[in-house]
C-alpha cells in the first residue's frame, strides 16, 4: 500500500489494570473509508482519540503516522491534517449555524473574507442556507450532524475521523449523511469511521476491522469478512408436493421442512453453485416455486467474532429468484 493515510503499529492503551487496546495494528489507504467495528467498550473511541491526538497512547505502542506525520514527534502537523466529528455534536446551540461556521473559521485563523467565503460554500453544500440565520438549537438532529461535519471541513482536512456520526438519526438523515461521506471520499478525503450500525459499515467501508477485547479479531473487505462465517445456504420452496418429494430424495445434504415444503442446501452462494443447482433442476424436470440465496451478513460476522457462539441461522435473504 503506497502512502497510507493512517498507520498504527502495536497500539496500546491501558487505564490502570484495564487494558483497552492491546497491540492494535491499523493501515488505512488514502482516499478510502475505513470502518472500525466492535461492541460497546471495545476501545473504538479510545483508538479515535489517540489517532486524533486527543489522548496519548501507552509508551509500549509502536510508531503511529497520520497523513505522513509522526504522531509522537509532530502532533501539531497531525492536527492540521485532520478533522474530527464525535458522537456528540460540537455545535453551539445558542448561536446561529452561520455563526458556528464563522467561529470555526476564526479558530483556523482564516481571514474574515476567507472565513465568510468558506462558511457560505459549506452551508450551501450541506443544504443549510435557509437555516443559516437561525439558532442551531432549533435544528433537527440531522441538520445538527450536517452542521457539525461542515464545521469539521472548514480547515479542509484530508483525513476525517467520524466517531458514530449517525447515532440517533432517522433513516432518511442517516442516508443523507452516507451520501455526504461518499462525496468526501470521491474528493480524495480519507474517512476513519466508527459506527454501531453494521449496515452503515457494509454500505460505506472499503475496509473493515472488528475490534474485540482490545485486539483486532478480523479485518478485510465486507465480502472477505462474510466469507469467514459459515451458514450460507440455498432454500428451495415448492407448492407441488410431488416435486418437493422428488427434489428431497435426489438432492444430497438437504434439510427438509415437510410442512413448508422447503429444502435447505448448504452453499457458499457462488454463481457456480447456483448455476449447477438450476441446471440440475432443469435436467430433472423439477420446478421450484421460489429459490432464495442466503449468505452471512455483517451481523453474523459481528456476533461470531465478538461472542462465544456463531448464530445458528442467517437472517438475511440477499437474493430471491421466483
Amino acid at each position: 500500500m503506497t502512502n497510507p493515510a493512517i498507520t498504527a503499529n502495536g497500539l496500546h492503551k491501558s487505564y490502570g489494570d484495564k487494558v483497552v487496546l492491546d497491540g492494535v495494528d491499523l493501515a488505512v489507504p488514502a482516499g478510502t473509508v475505513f470502518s472500525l467495528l466492535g461492541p460497546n467498550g471495545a476501545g473504538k473511541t479510545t483508538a479515535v482519540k489517540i489517532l486524533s491526538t486527543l489522548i496519548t497512547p501507552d509508551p509500549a505502542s509502536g510508531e503511529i503516522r497520520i497523513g505522513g506525520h509522526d504522531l509522537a514527534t509532530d502532533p501539531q502537523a497531525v492536527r492540521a491534517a485532520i478533522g474530527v466529528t464525535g458522537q456528540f455534536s460540537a455545535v453551539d446551540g445558542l448561536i446561529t449555524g452561520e455563526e458556528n461556521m464563522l467561529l470555526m473559521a476564526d479558530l483556523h485563523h482564516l481571514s474574515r473574507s476567507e472565513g465568510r467565503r468558506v462558511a457560505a460554500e459549506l452551508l450551501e453544500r450541506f443544504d443549510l442556507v435557509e437555516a443559516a440565520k437561525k439558532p442551531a438549537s432549533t435544528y433537527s438532529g440531522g441538520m445538527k450532524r450536517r452542521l457539525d461535519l461542515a464545521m469539521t471541513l472548514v480547515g479542509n482536512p484530508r483525513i476525517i475521523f467520524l466517531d458514530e456520526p449517525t447515532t440517533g438519526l432517522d433513516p432518511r438523515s442517516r442516508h443523507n449523511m452516507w451520501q455526504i461521506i461518499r462525496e468526501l471520499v470521491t474528493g480524495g478525503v480519507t474517512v476513519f469511521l466508527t459506527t454501531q450500525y453494521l449496515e452503515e459499515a457494509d454500505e460505506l467501508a472499503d475496509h473493515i476491522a472488528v475490534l474485540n477485547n482490545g485486539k483486532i479479531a478480523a479485518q478485510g473487505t465486507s465480502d472477505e469478512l462474510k466469507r469467514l462465517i459459515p451458514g450460507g445456504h440455498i432454500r428451495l420452496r415448492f407448492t407441488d408436493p410431488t416435486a418437493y418429494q422428488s427434489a428431497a430424495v435426489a438432492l444430497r445434504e438437504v434439510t427438509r421442512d415437510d410442512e413448508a415444503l422447503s429444502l435447505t442446501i448448504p452453499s457458499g452462494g457462488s454463481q457456480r453453485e447456483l448455476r449447477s443447482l438450476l441446471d440440475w433442476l432443469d435436467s430433472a424436470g423439477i420446478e421450484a416455486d421460489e429459490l432464495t440465496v442466503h449468505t452471512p451478513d455483517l451481523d453474523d460476522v459481528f456476533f461470531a467474532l465478538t461472542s462465544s457462539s456463531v448464530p445458528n441461522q442467517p437472517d438475511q435473504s440477499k437474493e430471491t429468484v421466483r
Side-chain angles (χ1 to χ4, degrees):
M1 182 172 53
T2 305
N3 297 325
I6 301 169
T7 57
N9 299 307
L11 188 57
H12 287 266
K13 185 65 178 178
S14 299
Y15 294 97
D17 294 333
K18 180 175 176 54
V19 178
V20 181
L21 298 174
D22 189 11
V24 171
D25 295 329
L26 298 172
V28 182
T32 65
V33 178
F34 177 92
S35 182
L36 186 62
L37 304 179
N40 289 333
K44 302 186 299 297
T45 296
T46 298
V48 169
K49 287 182 175 179
I50 290 174
L51 298 175
S52 59
T53 76
L54 295 177
I55 60 176
T56 57
D58 288 348
S61 299
E63 185 181 48
I64 302 170
R65 298 189 71 84
I66 311 293
H69 308 290
D70 190 306
L71 184 127
T73 61
D74 200 358
Q76 194 58 40
V78 171
R79 294 186 191 107
I82 67 173
V84 183
T85 298
Q87 297 178 36
F88 305 103
S89 175
V91 172
D92 187 339
L94 297 178
I95 58 179
T96 69
E98 182 181 53
E99 288 168 340
N100 271 281
M101 295 292 294
L102 295 175
L103 176 61
M104 190 60 63
D106 287 343
L107 292 174
H108 282 281
H109 306 293
L110 300 183
S111 67
R112 180 172 296 241
S113 60
E114 179 69 3
R116 289 195 173 279
R117 184 190 66 79
V118 170
E121 287 181 356
L122 288 169
L123 287 168
E124 182 174 1
R125 179 178 179 183
F126 285 83
D127 194 23
L128 292 169
V129 173
E130 291 186 6
K133 302 293 187 181
K134 298 177 182 178
S137 59
T138 65
Y139 288 14
S140 67
M143 291 169 66
K144 286 180 180 177
R145 289 288 183 177
R146 296 204 308 274
L147 178 59
D148 201 7
L149 186 51
M151 291 164 60
T152 300
L153 296 180
V154 167
N156 194 31
R158 306 313 294 163
I159 300 170
I160 298 177
F161 293 91
L162 300 180
D163 191 16
E164 301 188 16
T166 63
T167 297
L169 296 187
D170 62 73
R172 183 181 300 277
S173 296
R174 187 175 302 133
H175 279 263
N176 289 340
M177 185 63 73
W178 292 357
Q179 185 57 37
I180 290 170
I181 292 170
R182 291 188 184 104
E183 291 170 359
L184 288 172
V185 174
T186 299
V189 173
T190 303
V191 174
F192 189 107
L193 171 73
T194 74
T195 179
Q196 294 287 351
Y197 302 109
L198 301 183
E199 178 193 9
E200 186 161 276
D202 207 357
E203 283 281 338
L204 296 175
D206 299 291
H207 195 89
I208 298 169
V210 181
L211 187 63
N212 189 47
N213 294 325
K215 297 179 179 290
I216 299 295
Q219 58 181 314
T221 66
S222 176
D223 288 340
E224 287 170 346
L225 291 179
K226 291 171 186 176
R227 286 198 290 269
L228 296 176
I229 308 303
H233 64 274
I234 297 172
R235 182 175 180 268
L236 298 175
R237 189 182 63 80
F238 301 83
T239 56
D240 181 358
T242 301
Y244 167 72
Q245 290 295 342
S246 298
V249 170
L251 289 169
R252 298 179 179 180
E253 298 182 7
V254 299
T255 301
R256 299 174 53 141
D257 185 338
D258 293 339
E259 184 175 344
L261 297 183
S262 69
L263 302 173
T264 301
I265 309 160
S267 170
S270 69
Q271 183 178 349
R272 177 180 297 178
E273 288 177 302
L274 182 57
R275 183 185 297 116
S276 177
L277 177 61
L278 291 173
D279 288 345
W280 180 87
L281 289 170
D282 285 340
S283 65
I286 297 173
E287 184 175 344
D289 295 277
E290 182 180 291
L291 183 152
T292 308
V293 180
H294 297 257
T295 57
D297 60 12
L298 275 187
D299 284 35
D300 299 310
V301 173
F302 184 86
F303 289 126
L305 294 176
T306 60
S307 64
S308 59
S309 61
V310 178
N312 293 323
Q313 294 286 342
D315 59 4
Q316 294 281 338
S317 293
K318 298 303 182 191
E319 180 180 1
T320 300
V321 180
R322 286 188 175 86

